[in-house]
Amino acid sequence: MTDKTTDAFSIAQQIQTQINKITPQIAIILGSGLGSLAKQIGAAQVIPYSEIKGFPQTTVSGHKGCLILGKLNGKDVLCLQGRFHLYEGHQPQVIATVIKSLKLLGIKTLIVTNAAGSLRSEIAPGNLMLINDHINLSGQNPLIGPNDDNFGPRFPAMNKAYSPDLIATAHQVAKQENIPLYDGTYLMVLGPNFETAAEIRAFQILGADAVGMSTVPEVISAAYCGMKVLGISAITNYGAGMQNNTPSHEETLEQADKCAANMCRLVSSIIKEI
Ligand code: HPA
């Protein structure tokens, strides 16, 4: 057993002793500016990350740093309000540790949301994009290091990391709820700088539809642990230079706020169907 595995057990144990009356099998990670979903969680129990020994801390504005446990649309959920980005200086293995602790708590489905830049002119800011695949250009991997076979294999497959069942459910629900929903490939960069115009052109040639600085380490870790994953991007801006534009964090938070109502409605309706 590695130290990181020990951390996952310790984190899971601390959370488990605090959980009241619910047994969540669904976890949701909320991206930049998308924290409002947490407000819809009924009978919520809030555990600040700072109260969990060994749990990493968030440092980015728009990311709060709390676990929220409760009911969303009739289902028990565990929500991470605030995520960990590699550009904050977190080791990628830290993200695997957090996901492993969720696995130990009985989580079977992980829903990840994020803010992302569009790489396609028809996907305007303010829209939602279902992630159907990713390209990991971060140069990092959360699974680096000794493998614990109890969680997953040394060489996990990633070609079905985004659950085809959940993608189908999400599209069906979006149609019922009249929420426009694009489909595409998310490309992860390390950040923290926004891209150059040349990088954006290169990513378009690579076949990516959106770019962002998160999510991929969580998805790799969850797929490795055998969880079903659904990813949704709030499109907050066009990639740098696509419209002669210069993206900013303020713009992404402002636009994420505009996406929040549809994101909340979509996620909560999907949860009902899981
Ligand atoms: N690039 C990288 N990450 C992002 C962007 C972007 O344009 N928008 C939101 N997150």
Side-chain angles (χ1 to χ4, degrees), residues 115-117 189 194-195 211-213 236-240 247 252:
V189 290
F194 286 102
E195 298 69 40
V211 58
M213 305 173 193
T236 54
N237 57 284
Y238 281 113
T252 62

Side-chain angles (χ1 to χ4, degrees), residues 61-102:
S61 66
H63 287 265
K64 271 204 169 137
C66 294
L67 282 187
I68 301 169
L69 297 131
K71 282 205 185 289
L72 187 60
N73 221 347
K75 293 269 166 74
D76 291 347
V77 295
L78 182 158
C79 188
L80 284 97
Q81 192 179 24
R83 63 147 49 88
F84 313 105
H85 303 87
L86 300 182
Y87 64 72
E88 292 174 81
H90 294 296
Q91 291 301 309
Q93 293 86 350
V94 161
I95 296 174
T97 301
V98 169
I99 301 296
K100 283 176 182 171
S101 71
L102 299 182

Side-chain angles (χ1 to χ4, degrees), residues 25-30 78-80 83 95 98-100 102-103 106-113 161-163 166 215-223 225-232 267 270-271 274:
Q25 295 192 353
I26 303 169
I28 311 164
I29 301 181
L30 299 174
L78 182 158
C79 188
L80 284 97
R83 63 147 49 88
I95 296 174
V98 169
I99 301 296
K100 283 176 182 171
L102 299 182
K103 176 78 180 176
I107 298 299
K108 296 196 165 39
T109 301
L110 181 69
I111 300 176
V112 282
T113 68
Y162 299 87
S163 158
L166 290 178
T215 305
V216 166
E218 296 146 15
V219 173
I220 290 175
S221 306
C225 287
M227 291 181 195
K228 286 176 99 171
V229 175
L230 181 75
I232 309 169
V267 171
I270 290 168
I271 279 175
I274 292 176

Side-chain angles (χ1 to χ4, degrees), residues 2 100 143-148 154 224:
T2 67
K100 283 176 182 171
L143 307 181
I144 288 172
N147 187 56
D148 183 339
R154 172 75 292 187
Y224 158 79

